Amino acid sequence: MINKYIPQIKNGTSQNFFLMAGPCAIEGEEIALRIAEKIVTITDKLHIPYIFKGSYRKANRSRLDSFMGIGDEKALKILEKVGKTFGIPTVTDIHESHDAEMAAAYVDVLQIPAFLCRQTDLLVAAAKTNKVVNVKKGQFLSAASMKFAVDKILESGNEKVFLTDRGNTFGYQDLIVDYRGIPEMRAFNVPTVMDCTHSLQQPNQTSGVTGGKPALIETIAKAAIAVGADGLFIETHPDPANAKSDGANMLHLDLLEGLMEKLIRVRQAIL
């Protein structure tokens, strides 16, 4: 399913940006299907290529008692069901080399978390599944340095690579987006995505629960489209306040359609 998107994205012929969106974590089958159905309705109406996002496991948590998942196989089977039910590609993140083959049996895109984007064994393992590999830029890296992550995947025999910016560390408890990074990473001839929700996180809070600034999601998204991002990554939920993971920086699902309509107008203005 994902392969039909790649040529138009990579060659810049898509009239619209593409969207990677869904809940932070897979919480259960019913809510995953409900979120996917709502987003598919929106993206079909607006002709936006869509990839459903959901983490089958949350490995990077501040506290030991934080929600990590409902079980790997259970969550991966839900991702598979979402893809088959709606005929859409799906993406999930992996954290260790041995996760790659397991997750690749259920999803179309393997995502490398930002903190792990320099992990050679992980990148190579993901590449060798022959799935699309979406590498998030580390908060501690420049855009230019992501060339080496791309090279590791290409040199492992896989040309299906996305890069995703998610902001740069700014002090101890904030992130800032340097929009120069989007054209810099696009120059590597790979689709480049802006993570509009994680770039608004406020990590390392004394409570051990990551904060965020969801009111600025629209600002981040508009700026990303204006400077030429090929895609957007947005975590969304019908009840962010009660989401099991990253609720503080997720977009309320009811706001997604209006935001997409605005972003299409921005996209059309720069074509």
Side-chain angles (χ1 to χ4, degrees):
M1 289 182 286
I2 188 67
N3 292 331
K4 69 181 181 181
Y5 293 162
I6 293 174
Q8 60 177 330
I9 292 166
K10 195 165 185 178
N11 298 327
T13 57
S14 175
Q15 290 300 301
N16 257 340
F17 53 88
F18 67 98
L19 178 65
M20 304 171 76
C24 177
I26 296 299
E27 302 174 1
E29 182 176 306
E30 186 275 331
I31 192 165
L33 290 168
R34 178 154 54 101
I35 292 170
E37 182 177 25
K38 175 77 170 180
I39 303 176
V40 166
T41 300
I42 293 167
T43 53
D44 281 355
K45 175 183 174 182
L46 299 177
H47 307 291
I48 298 172
Y50 173 50
I51 303 167
F52 178 85
K53 182 271 164 187
S55 296
Y56 74 90
R57 186 191 335 133
K58 302 303 297 184
N60 178 19
R61 302 287 86 187
S62 296
R63 299 184 347 193
L64 188 60
D65 62 354
S66 297
F67 174 78
M68 294 184 68
I70 59 174
D72 292 357
E73 187 176 14
K74 183 177 180 180
L76 286 166
K77 285 183 175 179
I78 290 171
L79 281 161
E80 182 180 49
K81 183 168 184 177
V82 168
K84 289 181 176 179
T85 299
F86 299 104
I88 54 174
T90 55
V91 55
T92 199
D93 36 329
I94 59 173
H95 308 91
E96 298 182 65
S97 301
H98 60 76
D99 292 341
E101 187 174 355
M102 174 183 67
Y106 297 93
V107 301
D108 304 278
V109 183
L110 298 178
Q111 182 166 284
I112 308 299
F115 279 127
L116 301 177
C117 68
R118 285 174 52 93
Q119 297 296 103
T120 301
D121 288 347
L122 180 60
L123 290 167
V124 171
K128 289 188 173 179
T129 65
N130 203 37
K131 297 288 185 174
V132 175
V133 182
N134 178 39
V135 188
K136 286 197 169 183
K137 183 185 77 63
Q139 302 93 317
F140 46 86
L141 291 177
S142 68
S145 65
M146 290 303 292
K147 179 181 186 302
F148 302 108
V150 173
D151 287 346
K152 288 175 183 178
I153 294 166
L154 296 177
E155 290 168 14
S156 298
N158 189 338
E159 296 184 351
K160 295 175 287 189
V161 190
F162 295 171
L163 290 178
T164 295
D165 195 349
R166 51 130 325 138
N168 286 38
T169 298
F170 186 69
Y172 290 109
Q173 295 175 321
D174 209 355
L175 297 166
I176 192 167
V177 178
D178 180 355
Y179 286 98
R180 297 174 298 179
I182 291 176
E184 283 186 56
M185 292 193 292
R186 290 189 83 235
F188 305 146
N189 196 33
V190 297
T192 300
V193 180
M194 184 72 233
D195 184 338
C196 303
T197 44
H198 288 98
S199 60
L200 291 167
Q201 281 185 330
Q202 294 182 302
N204 306 318
Q205 301 295 309
T206 55
S207 65
V209 178
T210 297
K213 298 180 178 179
L216 292 174
I217 291 171
E218 181 173 324
T219 300
I220 296 290
K222 284 178 176 177
I225 295 300
V227 298
D230 300 290
L232 298 175
F233 179 105
I234 296 176
E235 289 189 338
T236 183
H237 194 281
D239 186 9
N242 290 302
K244 294 184 181 294
S245 179
D246 279 3
N249 54 272
M250 279 201 277
L251 180 72
H252 196 292
L253 188 58
D254 289 345
L255 301 177
L256 184 65
E257 183 170 2
L259 176 58
M260 292 299 105
E261 290 172 342
K262 292 177 183 178
L263 297 176
I264 287 172
R265 292 197 292 271
V266 176
R267 172 77 171 180
Q268 290 169 342
I270 65 170
L271 285 178

